[in-house]
Amino acid sequence: MTIKLPQTIITFPEIRLQTRDAHKLRGFFGNLFKEHSILLHNHFQDTGEFRQGYTLVQYKVLDHIPTLVGLGEGADLLVDLFLKIKHLEIDGHFFEVMAKNINHSVVDIGLSNSLFEYRFESLWMALNQNNYRDFIKATSDEQDVIFNRILKNNLLAFLNGMGCQLTKNEPIMCKFSLKKTRETNFKDNKMMGFQGSFMCNALLPNLIGLGKSVSRGYGTIIKI
């Protein structure tokens, strides 16, 4: 089963930031346009509670270029806001937007009879506190099983979140190939992130995020 999904990608090619600045992009845009939509910051203003479900507006710094990715309702929202973006302000630094690019398209997502290969362009935050304890105690083979189970759940979370409901006759097949393990600072805590690629039978859009904290740019994938 496949469905059509609107996707909007906005880039600012003349501005250079660090990968770690992605969450500052989220803070800037979430505050600048906070009256427009909860999708920009994922918090309900009246209660402060977190919006559940897959994140529809994601902030990334890819090859030092600030990048916004919107999906579904988030794609339409970014189209509406595109002309209103005149500057960025990150860590007290003011960047006038002299150039910006937008690409709005409709992409196919879902399961296929073919296999596709994807690469993580940013660290994949696969583990939480519970499976981290299981992971560090596991053998190499057991860690592979853990990786593949988590990746499958990440794929299911994305597809279900986008309205692509799978049946029992449509199993997800995936296999992750670890290239490197790195520590990263996440909300002032040291966390373990992973680099690598994976194969699966899911048709996925470029530049979406999988795993934890996709709104901050983690787990960004690209088809290879």
Side-chain angles (χ1 to χ4, degrees):
M1 173 185 177
T2 61
I3 64 171
K4 303 288 186 181
L5 177 70
Q7 180 183 41
T8 299
I9 300 171
I10 296 176
T11 58
F12 305 91
E14 295 185 352
I15 298 175
R16 292 293 183 268
L17 297 177
Q18 299 299 315
T19 302
R20 62 178 178 270
D21 292 328
H23 79 279
K24 299 170 187 175
L25 273 178
R26 177 175 178 265
F28 170 74
F29 282 107
N31 183 63
L32 182 65
F33 297 122
K34 62 184 176 183
E35 304 300 329
H36 283 75
S37 175
I38 185 180
L39 299 181
L40 293 168
H41 46 74
N42 275 341
H43 287 87
F44 293 98
Q45 291 187 5
D46 52 348
T47 65
E49 293 181 358
F50 187 75
R51 171 188 169 274
Q52 300 298 318
Y54 185 80
T55 302
L56 299 182
V57 176
Q58 303 172 14
Y59 305 89
K60 309 163 190 286
V61 179
L62 303 172
D63 292 329
H64 298 286
I65 297 176
T67 302
L68 311 183
V69 177
L71 301 164
E73 293 178 56
D76 297 332
L77 176 62
L78 290 189
V79 171
D80 292 340
L81 296 179
F82 178 70
L83 293 178
K84 298 181 175 69
I85 303 172
K86 306 296 185 181
H87 75 281
L88 304 183
E89 191 170 347
I90 307 296
D91 254 356
H93 298 285
F94 183 93
F95 301 91
E96 186 175 0
V97 174
M98 304 300 292
K100 53 187 173 181
N101 300 325
I102 185 169
N103 178 37
H104 179 74
S105 60
V106 177
V107 297
D108 291 319
I109 67 167
L111 293 192
S112 169
N113 293 324
S114 301
L115 290 176
F116 306 97
E117 188 171 6
Y118 303 90
R119 178 179 68 244
F120 282 108
E121 290 290 286
S122 59
L123 290 178
W124 178 39
M125 301 285 282
L127 304 177
N128 56 34
Q129 289 182 341
N130 294 326
N131 54 29
Y132 173 77
R133 289 192 291 268
D134 295 334
F135 180 82
I136 59 176
K137 295 177 182 178
T139 65
S140 177
D141 288 342
E142 290 170 340
Q143 288 179 349
D144 288 342
V145 172
I146 293 172
F147 273 138
N148 292 325
R149 183 181 71 243
I150 294 172
L151 179 57
K152 179 179 179 179
N153 289 337
N154 289 173
L155 295 172
L156 277 171
F158 167 72
L159 292 173
N160 289 339
M162 295 299 98
C164 185
Q165 302 296 326
L166 305 181
T167 69
K168 293 181 180 180
N169 296 325
E170 297 178 301
I172 290 183
M173 297 178 290
C174 59
K175 181 172 178 58
F176 176 65
S177 177
L178 176 66
K179 299 300 182 185
K180 192 174 182 181
T181 303
R182 283 180 50 194
E183 278 194 346
T184 183
N185 287 315
F186 179 74
K187 297 182 179 180
D188 297 325
N189 293 313
K190 290 288 186 182
M191 296 286 288
M192 187 180 294
F194 305 94
Q195 294 176 314
S197 61
F198 63 94
M199 295 192 70
C200 69
N201 62 332
L203 190 58
L204 308 169
N206 279 333
L207 301 188
I208 65 161
L210 298 175
K212 293 172 60 65
S213 204
V214 299
S215 67
R216 297 167 174 246
Y218 286 100
T220 298
I221 65 167
I222 190 168
K223 189 176 179 182
I224 56 177

